Amino acid sequence: MQPGWLARHGLTVPVAILMLVLFLLVPLLPGEYWTQVATEILILGLFAMSFNLLYGYMGQISFGHAAFFGVGAYASAMLFTRLKTAGGEIGMLDFFLSLAAGPPVAAVAALIVGFFCVRLTGIYFAMLSLAFGELLFYIVFSWYSFTKGDDGIQGLLPPSFFQDAVNFYYLTLAIVTLALLAMWRITESPFGYIMRTLRDNQRRAAFLGINVRLHMLINFVIAGSFAGLAGALWGPFSRSVNPGLLGWQESGIAVFMTLIGGAGSIVGPLLGSVIYTMLQAVVKMYTVYWPLTIGTIILLIVLFLPGGVLGLVEKRIKARRSGDGDAGSREA
Amino acid sequence: MDIGPYVLQLFSGLSRAMVLFLLSAGLSLIFGVMNILNFAHATLWLLSGYITFSIFTFLSEQLGASPWLLLPAIVGATALMALIGFALERFLIRRTYERDLPEQLLLTFALVLIIGDLIKLVWGVENRRINLGVQPVEMFDTLINPYHFVIVGSGVAVAAGLWFFLHRTRLGKIVRAAVYNRNMVSALGIPIPLIYGLVFAAGVGLAGLAGGVFLPLLPMALGVDHDVIVQCFAVVVIGGFGSMLGTFVASIIVGVVYAFSILFWPDGALAMIFLIVIVVLIWRPWGLFGTELRF
Amino acid sequence: MSTSDRKWEALIENLKLSRRDFVFSTLATGALTLTPRLVGAQAAQPYKIGVLLPSTGTGANYMAHCIKGLPVAIAELNKRGGLLGKHQVQMVYRDDETKPDVGARETKSLILNDKVDCMFATYSSAVALAVQEIIHEHKVLHFAATSNSSKITQDNYSPYTYQFCPDSNMQSGAVVVAVSRMATKNKWKSYVSLGQDYEWGRDTHKGFTTGLAKINPEVKEARQMWFKLGETDFNSYITAIMAAKPDFMFGAIAGKDAETFMQQASQMGLFKRVPFPGGLIAVNDLKAQRKTLPRGIIGLARCPFFAHLKEPIMQAYIKRDRAAFGADGYPDDWACMYYDALGGLEQGAKKAGSTSTEAIVKALKGASIDTCRGKRTFRDCSNQLNVPSYVGEVWDSPDYPFPIYKPETMIQVEGNEVWTPTCEDVEKLKKKRA
């Protein structure tokens, strides 16, 4: 490994490869349970990674990102319901069609919401994204005739081949891996570096002739589409969707995962998803005070470990390779 | 035309407005001076409600039931909350001043979860309510709850008190100066950390006051803070970050709009508020009374 | 005394002495799920019940008694030897946070990881619908005893789901019966509705308005108002109701919003001007709001203990809970119905002669079981237990430190009188499951 490689790419590739190998091996564990947990980790990890496109790479925090996750889930669920046969089954082609419905509908929603949000930054961006998120939640919740309101939509049973947890898992793994590669390509492209400039110094970017709003909007739509993809996978995984998927509390999950894993790398949020989901599963077996637990962890991370786990590991490695240039914990 | 119902709805709108103002004043003060958006504001308000309940119940058991015991309970709760606010600023919030906005937001977000669960740990899941034994009074051919006068009175008193503090006292002027240029204030030899500590304590104390004042009207229950924080944000956004006058006016707008939309479009009352927020953020992000300087 | 007996006694001791009941019970329950390895080999295969009830969110204060009472009920069952006298029952508790996707995830966890044989779930109907998808797919028995949307036993029907609580149609039907009598007697002409703007609220409202229009067409709804869940200030709604000057008002309000509304409305004197019959006032509300609840108001309940004081099973529940939780520890509606679910499980296993899910499902189909409400039968087409809804007047009783429904005026509306629609229509509603 060349010395400059670490400074340029951080831990992304080795961590991603390690995680991929581990993910491939999960179904070897006895029983169906861990496969189900890993599927959840992957889907929510994708959601968190899409959030990080806005947060880690573009420097804006959105509290309404779950709206696109939810819109993708609902678009997919509603098409699913219409494509189902009278007997309640869905054909293989129709199933993939319904999955494909998630990202584009979420993208349209992101286009509309983003059009307004990218005019602002900082706290105003955060507030406006929160307001739109809540508005979308409220629409889905209230429009009973179209979305079945807070009843949610049930009956999202995949075709029998994918009812097997392992098969569905590998499908999810394939989709999430491809999405991850796509996001990585985007962040390593000139577009991705424009994002980083917008994060670090928006004024300078404008002086350089970059159309700030347009670029922010494009990134916003991309992020929304990947969130919609995650949402589309969530419906058949959970066998149902409900309006809560759009609310600010769900948005908070993406934020927590990104923070825990580290916003400085494309795989940080995925690692965060692993830690968050496993932690939740274990803690909830013994106590109901999960919010207290995760709240305290987030507090400690914000205060002492802002780069998340990956940030910490990178720092240690850099410190060991004395004098390779400390690039800080949020470099990507 | 029978004007009675409209007058009543207006009064109820004003009462709701004062409820919102009392809730949001502390949030606005803290944000205005320190640029910290305290997500946990409503959670601290809820905590104060529970504390007031406990003090009131304890006093009632020791001294016999009387509605006037609410006063010392509120005073006690407010003082306690101000102390808690001071401690929070000193040990936690202070560490995020040099950080980026997202991290500051996340810290207060984490506090929502932590404080919420601490309330559950101490008081359990049962709702808490008190009964002052207040009787309704006849007005405009209908009955109203006289406690609403207390609410409106408190709101106006707090607004007047804050205005007086910020504009007529030396400390208040220092606080306002710090809003505009804290480095200059610091250069003049005034200890900014202490100012920030006092302001945060005052903001949380105001939340505490609101919690206590509302206890007779609203059973305290877990999760109420989640419902309420979004309305607080709405008011602060519409009025303008950093402007107490803006918060006051926005509270009145939101309260009265809500009250009247119940008469004409009951389903959409809350959607109306969201729409106003979105419109304000798009058209004039610094709010009705905020200054462009802050944006 | 076996190890598990000792552990159960220790648990009950904890529950009696500790204020933070459910913290200990969840911790203990968590620890207890580890005991299978410690239990001696002489016992037959233990039977696991997954209890999915909220201790977070709007349902938490309703389920508090139930969550701490079920371990005590199970301990008693185990003292008798457990199911069929040989299968010790273990309870695994999970918090669904009153959220459907959490409910779905925890159900999967309980079924796949904890390998539960039966699910007791849940409080919220939206969560119940999501849970049904999972239990049906994995063919796990599901007893519902609080979440009561009619969709659970009709549109979203699963042969594995059995309902021990009167469903939303039955509850609306009962209110219609009570209000109809009052409307006819007092010559009422108009009313205003106030409802929570979500599925249960809309559903309940529809049930009432269509039902009343059929029997008393002369009574018209002048206005309907809807509010978002979690409303903290009903002032404007109350003034609007009073301004309309209706003969009475109907409310589709539940949970903490109901308590907020009651408190604010009675402080504003609303109930002096406008009668409010038929709001949900269950035993836990009567106990919790004993100081603030307006007396004389007409409420609706689902399984109040004071309506069945002569039933031996109800007496047993009362005795057991008061012994475990103190003199005030009367079981509320939700606890009684989940205890009945446990009783139903025991009787189902006995009838089937086995603890296998398929056998119990077959045994309970259309069967009669003994409950705290007497002998009750499951409706063939929907697995809904034929249980009454109760309408009564809030009244201070000399026998209890909290108000109950006045015995002289309390009405019990039998389930089969009001369980709409007909079995034929229920079959049409049932969605096809793959």
Side-chain angles (χ1 to χ4, degrees), chain B residues 262-284:
Chain B
I262 286 174
L263 282 181
F264 304 115
W265 184 32
D267 288 17
L270 203 68
M272 286 274 297
I273 306 300
F274 278 136
L275 283 172
I276 298 180
V277 170
I278 289 175
V279 165
V280 167
L281 275 172
I282 293 170
W283 162 65
R284 201 184 150 100

PDB file of all heavy atoms in Angstrom, chain B residues 262-284:
ATOM      1  N   ILE B 262     -60.314  26.238  13.347  1.00  0.00           N
ATOM      2  CA  ILE B 262     -61.172  25.193  13.902  1.00  0.00           C
ATOM      3  C   ILE B 262     -62.624  25.446  13.550  1.00  0.00           C
ATOM      4  O   ILE B 262     -63.405  24.523  13.330  1.00  0.00           O
ATOM      5  CB  ILE B 262     -60.990  25.119  15.429  1.00  0.00           C
ATOM      6  CG1 ILE B 262     -59.650  24.475  15.748  1.00  0.00           C
ATOM      7  CG2 ILE B 262     -62.109  24.311  16.073  1.00  0.00           C
ATOM      8  CD1 ILE B 262     -59.324  24.489  17.196  1.00  0.00           C
ATOM      9  N   LEU B 263     -62.981  26.744  13.479  1.00  0.00           N
ATOM     10  CA  LEU B 263     -64.365  27.062  13.140  1.00  0.00           C
ATOM     11  C   LEU B 263     -64.639  26.796  11.664  1.00  0.00           C
ATOM     12  O   LEU B 263     -65.731  26.411  11.292  1.00  0.00           O
ATOM     13  CB  LEU B 263     -64.646  28.546  13.429  1.00  0.00           C
ATOM     14  CG  LEU B 263     -64.875  28.948  14.876  1.00  0.00           C
ATOM     15  CD1 LEU B 263     -65.153  30.447  14.961  1.00  0.00           C
ATOM     16  CD2 LEU B 263     -66.040  28.179  15.466  1.00  0.00           C
ATOM     17  N   PHE B 264     -63.620  27.027  10.815  1.00  0.00           N
ATOM     18  CA  PHE B 264     -63.905  26.982   9.384  1.00  0.00           C
ATOM     19  C   PHE B 264     -63.292  25.782   8.676  1.00  0.00           C
ATOM     20  O   PHE B 264     -63.848  25.308   7.708  1.00  0.00           O
ATOM     21  CB  PHE B 264     -63.410  28.275   8.721  1.00  0.00           C
ATOM     22  CG  PHE B 264     -64.002  29.494   9.348  1.00  0.00           C
ATOM     23  CD1 PHE B 264     -63.210  30.412  10.025  1.00  0.00           C
ATOM     24  CD2 PHE B 264     -65.378  29.721   9.307  1.00  0.00           C
ATOM     25  CE1 PHE B 264     -63.768  31.540  10.624  1.00  0.00           C
ATOM     26  CE2 PHE B 264     -65.929  30.832   9.901  1.00  0.00           C
ATOM     27  CZ  PHE B 264     -65.134  31.738  10.552  1.00  0.00           C
ATOM     28  N   TRP B 265     -62.155  25.314   9.102  1.00  0.00           N
ATOM     29  CA  TRP B 265     -61.509  24.180   8.440  1.00  0.00           C
ATOM     30  C   TRP B 265     -60.812  23.327   9.493  1.00  0.00           C
ATOM     31  O   TRP B 265     -59.602  23.348   9.600  1.00  0.00           O
ATOM     32  CB  TRP B 265     -60.506  24.678   7.397  1.00  0.00           C
ATOM     33  CG  TRP B 265     -59.884  23.573   6.607  1.00  0.00           C
ATOM     34  CD1 TRP B 265     -60.451  22.380   6.254  1.00  0.00           C
ATOM     35  CD2 TRP B 265     -58.561  23.553   6.075  1.00  0.00           C
ATOM     36  NE1 TRP B 265     -59.570  21.627   5.531  1.00  0.00           N
ATOM     37  CE2 TRP B 265     -58.408  22.312   5.396  1.00  0.00           C
ATOM     38  CE3 TRP B 265     -57.483  24.450   6.075  1.00  0.00           C
ATOM     39  CZ2 TRP B 265     -57.223  21.948   4.744  1.00  0.00           C
ATOM     40  CZ3 TRP B 265     -56.315  24.104   5.415  1.00  0.00           C
ATOM     41  CH2 TRP B 265     -56.188  22.862   4.766  1.00  0.00           C
ATOM     42  N   PRO B 266     -61.597  22.600  10.300  1.00  0.00           N
ATOM     43  CA  PRO B 266     -61.021  21.911  11.460  1.00  0.00           C
ATOM     44  C   PRO B 266     -59.922  20.911  11.116  1.00  0.00           C
ATOM     45  O   PRO B 266     -58.953  20.780  11.835  1.00  0.00           O
ATOM     46  CB  PRO B 266     -62.210  21.193  12.084  1.00  0.00           C
ATOM     47  CG  PRO B 266     -63.403  21.582  11.337  1.00  0.00           C
ATOM     48  CD  PRO B 266     -63.031  22.399  10.178  1.00  0.00           C
ATOM     49  N   ASP B 267     -60.061  20.203   9.995  1.00  0.00           N
ATOM     50  CA  ASP B 267     -59.065  19.185   9.661  1.00  0.00           C
ATOM     51  C   ASP B 267     -57.696  19.788   9.461  1.00  0.00           C
ATOM     52  O   ASP B 267     -56.689  19.170   9.735  1.00  0.00           O
ATOM     53  CB  ASP B 267     -59.437  18.499   8.340  1.00  0.00           C
ATOM     54  CG  ASP B 267     -60.637  17.597   8.516  1.00  0.00           C
ATOM     55  OD1 ASP B 267     -61.334  17.766   9.527  1.00  0.00           O
ATOM     56  OD2 ASP B 267     -60.861  16.745   7.655  1.00  0.00           O
ATOM     57  N   GLY B 268     -57.702  20.995   8.906  1.00  0.00           N
ATOM     58  CA  GLY B 268     -56.428  21.496   8.398  1.00  0.00           C
ATOM     59  C   GLY B 268     -55.674  22.425   9.320  1.00  0.00           C
ATOM     60  O   GLY B 268     -54.685  23.005   8.925  1.00  0.00           O
ATOM     61  N   ALA B 269     -56.149  22.547  10.572  1.00  0.00           N
ATOM     62  CA  ALA B 269     -55.529  23.545  11.451  1.00  0.00           C
ATOM     63  C   ALA B 269     -54.020  23.382  11.530  1.00  0.00           C
ATOM     64  O   ALA B 269     -53.272  24.351  11.369  1.00  0.00           O
ATOM     65  CB  ALA B 269     -56.154  23.477  12.833  1.00  0.00           C
ATOM     66  N   LEU B 270     -53.547  22.170  11.752  1.00  0.00           N
ATOM     67  CA  LEU B 270     -52.104  21.986  11.909  1.00  0.00           C
ATOM     68  C   LEU B 270     -51.374  22.114  10.580  1.00  0.00           C
ATOM     69  O   LEU B 270     -50.270  22.654  10.517  1.00  0.00           O
ATOM     70  CB  LEU B 270     -51.812  20.623  12.542  1.00  0.00           C
ATOM     71  CG  LEU B 270     -50.450  20.579  13.237  1.00  0.00           C
ATOM     72  CD1 LEU B 270     -50.444  21.476  14.451  1.00  0.00           C
ATOM     73  CD2 LEU B 270     -50.115  19.167  13.640  1.00  0.00           C
ATOM     74  N   ALA B 271     -51.992  21.638   9.519  1.00  0.00           N
ATOM     75  CA  ALA B 271     -51.353  21.765   8.205  1.00  0.00           C
ATOM     76  C   ALA B 271     -51.142  23.242   7.878  1.00  0.00           C
ATOM     77  O   ALA B 271     -50.121  23.622   7.310  1.00  0.00           O
ATOM     78  CB  ALA B 271     -52.214  21.102   7.141  1.00  0.00           C
ATOM     79  N   MET B 272     -52.142  24.072   8.274  1.00  0.00           N
ATOM     80  CA  MET B 272     -52.004  25.529   8.063  1.00  0.00           C
ATOM     81  C   MET B 272     -50.727  26.058   8.687  1.00  0.00           C
ATOM     82  O   MET B 272     -50.001  26.843   8.100  1.00  0.00           O
ATOM     83  CB  MET B 272     -53.178  26.256   8.724  1.00  0.00           C
ATOM     84  CG  MET B 272     -54.481  26.149   8.019  1.00  0.00           C
ATOM     85  SD  MET B 272     -54.643  27.409   6.766  1.00  0.00           S
ATOM     86  CE  MET B 272     -54.612  28.859   7.771  1.00  0.00           C
ATOM     87  N   ILE B 273     -50.458  25.621   9.904  1.00  0.00           N
ATOM     88  CA  ILE B 273     -49.280  26.115  10.618  1.00  0.00           C
ATOM     89  C   ILE B 273     -48.013  25.705   9.885  1.00  0.00           C
ATOM     90  O   ILE B 273     -47.105  26.513   9.673  1.00  0.00           O
ATOM     91  CB  ILE B 273     -49.249  25.580  12.063  1.00  0.00           C
ATOM     92  CG1 ILE B 273     -50.563  25.887  12.787  1.00  0.00           C
ATOM     93  CG2 ILE B 273     -48.064  26.126  12.818  1.00  0.00           C
ATOM     94  CD1 ILE B 273     -50.874  27.340  12.895  1.00  0.00           C
ATOM     95  N   PHE B 274     -47.944  24.428   9.442  1.00  0.00           N
ATOM     96  CA  PHE B 274     -46.774  23.974   8.690  1.00  0.00           C
ATOM     97  C   PHE B 274     -46.571  24.815   7.452  1.00  0.00           C
ATOM     98  O   PHE B 274     -45.458  25.187   7.099  1.00  0.00           O
ATOM     99  CB  PHE B 274     -46.962  22.524   8.226  1.00  0.00           C
ATOM    100  CG  PHE B 274     -46.641  21.520   9.279  1.00  0.00           C
ATOM    101  CD1 PHE B 274     -47.458  20.438   9.489  1.00  0.00           C
ATOM    102  CD2 PHE B 274     -45.510  21.668  10.073  1.00  0.00           C
ATOM    103  CE1 PHE B 274     -47.165  19.514  10.455  1.00  0.00           C
ATOM    104  CE2 PHE B 274     -45.216  20.743  11.040  1.00  0.00           C
ATOM    105  CZ  PHE B 274     -46.051  19.668  11.227  1.00  0.00           C
ATOM    106  N   LEU B 275     -47.699  25.084   6.751  1.00  0.00           N
ATOM    107  CA  LEU B 275     -47.600  25.845   5.516  1.00  0.00           C
ATOM    108  C   LEU B 275     -47.066  27.241   5.792  1.00  0.00           C
ATOM    109  O   LEU B 275     -46.240  27.757   5.041  1.00  0.00           O
ATOM    110  CB  LEU B 275     -48.958  25.904   4.824  1.00  0.00           C
ATOM    111  CG  LEU B 275     -49.328  24.605   4.106  1.00  0.00           C
ATOM    112  CD1 LEU B 275     -50.750  24.636   3.615  1.00  0.00           C
ATOM    113  CD2 LEU B 275     -48.377  24.357   2.945  1.00  0.00           C
ATOM    114  N   ILE B 276     -47.537  27.861   6.876  1.00  0.00           N
ATOM    115  CA  ILE B 276     -47.031  29.196   7.212  1.00  0.00           C
ATOM    116  C   ILE B 276     -45.530  29.134   7.447  1.00  0.00           C
ATOM    117  O   ILE B 276     -44.772  29.979   6.966  1.00  0.00           O
ATOM    118  CB  ILE B 276     -47.747  29.774   8.457  1.00  0.00           C
ATOM    119  CG1 ILE B 276     -49.232  29.940   8.184  1.00  0.00           C
ATOM    120  CG2 ILE B 276     -47.127  31.109   8.855  1.00  0.00           C
ATOM    121  CD1 ILE B 276     -50.000  30.506   9.366  1.00  0.00           C
ATOM    122  N   VAL B 277     -45.090  28.105   8.163  1.00  0.00           N
ATOM    123  CA  VAL B 277     -43.654  27.954   8.434  1.00  0.00           C
ATOM    124  C   VAL B 277     -42.876  27.843   7.130  1.00  0.00           C
ATOM    125  O   VAL B 277     -41.863  28.507   6.929  1.00  0.00           O
ATOM    126  CB  VAL B 277     -43.385  26.697   9.295  1.00  0.00           C
ATOM    127  CG1 VAL B 277     -41.898  26.403   9.373  1.00  0.00           C
ATOM    128  CG2 VAL B 277     -43.940  26.887  10.680  1.00  0.00           C
ATOM    129  N   ILE B 278     -43.382  26.975   6.239  1.00  0.00           N
ATOM    130  CA  ILE B 278     -42.662  26.771   4.980  1.00  0.00           C
ATOM    131  C   ILE B 278     -42.618  28.056   4.177  1.00  0.00           C
ATOM    132  O   ILE B 278     -41.572  28.439   3.637  1.00  0.00           O
ATOM    133  CB  ILE B 278     -43.334  25.617   4.184  1.00  0.00           C
ATOM    134  CG1 ILE B 278     -43.040  24.297   4.890  1.00  0.00           C
ATOM    135  CG2 ILE B 278     -42.833  25.576   2.756  1.00  0.00           C
ATOM    136  CD1 ILE B 278     -43.732  23.107   4.290  1.00  0.00           C
ATOM    137  N   VAL B 279     -43.762  28.744   4.109  1.00  0.00           N
ATOM    138  CA  VAL B 279     -43.797  30.002   3.359  1.00  0.00           C
ATOM    139  C   VAL B 279     -42.802  31.007   3.940  1.00  0.00           C
ATOM    140  O   VAL B 279     -42.047  31.650   3.213  1.00  0.00           O
ATOM    141  CB  VAL B 279     -45.228  30.578   3.353  1.00  0.00           C
ATOM    142  CG1 VAL B 279     -45.217  32.035   2.921  1.00  0.00           C
ATOM    143  CG2 VAL B 279     -46.115  29.761   2.439  1.00  0.00           C
ATOM    144  N   VAL B 280     -42.786  31.133   5.248  1.00  0.00           N
ATOM    145  CA  VAL B 280     -41.859  32.089   5.881  1.00  0.00           C
ATOM    146  C   VAL B 280     -40.420  31.723   5.565  1.00  0.00           C
ATOM    147  O   VAL B 280     -39.609  32.573   5.195  1.00  0.00           O
ATOM    148  CB  VAL B 280     -42.077  32.130   7.411  1.00  0.00           C
ATOM    149  CG1 VAL B 280     -40.934  32.863   8.097  1.00  0.00           C
ATOM    150  CG2 VAL B 280     -43.392  32.794   7.736  1.00  0.00           C
ATOM    151  N   LEU B 281     -40.092  30.431   5.688  1.00  0.00           N
ATOM    152  CA  LEU B 281     -38.707  30.025   5.460  1.00  0.00           C
ATOM    153  C   LEU B 281     -38.292  30.246   4.015  1.00  0.00           C
ATOM    154  O   LEU B 281     -37.140  30.522   3.728  1.00  0.00           O
ATOM    155  CB  LEU B 281     -38.508  28.552   5.832  1.00  0.00           C
ATOM    156  CG  LEU B 281     -38.229  28.302   7.309  1.00  0.00           C
ATOM    157  CD1 LEU B 281     -38.242  26.821   7.608  1.00  0.00           C
ATOM    158  CD2 LEU B 281     -36.887  28.898   7.704  1.00  0.00           C
ATOM    159  N   ILE B 282     -39.258  30.125   3.113  1.00  0.00           N
ATOM    160  CA  ILE B 282     -38.894  30.298   1.707  1.00  0.00           C
ATOM    161  C   ILE B 282     -38.796  31.778   1.353  1.00  0.00           C
ATOM    162  O   ILE B 282     -37.867  32.214   0.684  1.00  0.00           O
ATOM    163  CB  ILE B 282     -39.936  29.605   0.800  1.00  0.00           C
ATOM    164  CG1 ILE B 282     -39.851  28.084   0.996  1.00  0.00           C
ATOM    165  CG2 ILE B 282     -39.727  29.965  -0.652  1.00  0.00           C
ATOM    166  CD1 ILE B 282     -40.967  27.337   0.340  1.00  0.00           C
ATOM    167  N   TRP B 283     -39.740  32.552   1.814  1.00  0.00           N
ATOM    168  CA  TRP B 283     -39.833  33.939   1.396  1.00  0.00           C
ATOM    169  C   TRP B 283     -38.926  34.846   2.222  1.00  0.00           C
ATOM    170  O   TRP B 283     -38.287  35.749   1.713  1.00  0.00           O
ATOM    171  CB  TRP B 283     -41.292  34.360   1.488  1.00  0.00           C
ATOM    172  CG  TRP B 283     -41.552  35.817   1.519  1.00  0.00           C
ATOM    173  CD1 TRP B 283     -41.305  36.714   0.550  1.00  0.00           C
ATOM    174  CD2 TRP B 283     -42.105  36.551   2.612  1.00  0.00           C
ATOM    175  NE1 TRP B 283     -41.681  37.971   0.948  1.00  0.00           N
ATOM    176  CE2 TRP B 283     -42.176  37.901   2.217  1.00  0.00           C
ATOM    177  CE3 TRP B 283     -42.561  36.193   3.889  1.00  0.00           C
ATOM    178  CZ2 TRP B 283     -42.670  38.898   3.056  1.00  0.00           C
ATOM    179  CZ3 TRP B 283     -43.061  37.192   4.710  1.00  0.00           C
ATOM    180  CH2 TRP B 283     -43.109  38.531   4.280  1.00  0.00           C
ATOM    181  N   ARG B 284     -38.847  34.578   3.513  1.00  0.00           N
ATOM    182  CA  ARG B 284     -38.123  35.468   4.399  1.00  0.00           C
ATOM    183  C   ARG B 284     -37.544  34.621   5.535  1.00  0.00           C
ATOM    184  O   ARG B 284     -38.065  34.621   6.638  1.00  0.00           O
ATOM    185  CB  ARG B 284     -39.106  36.486   4.958  1.00  0.00           C
ATOM    186  CG  ARG B 284     -38.475  37.761   5.476  1.00  0.00           C
ATOM    187  CD  ARG B 284     -39.539  38.635   6.072  1.00  0.00           C
ATOM    188  NE  ARG B 284     -39.038  39.442   7.136  1.00  0.00           N
ATOM    189  CZ  ARG B 284     -38.692  40.730   7.019  1.00  0.00           C
ATOM    190  NH1 ARG B 284     -38.807  41.313   5.841  1.00  0.00           N
ATOM    191  NH2 ARG B 284     -38.242  41.383   8.064  1.00  0.00           N
TER     192      ARG B 284
END
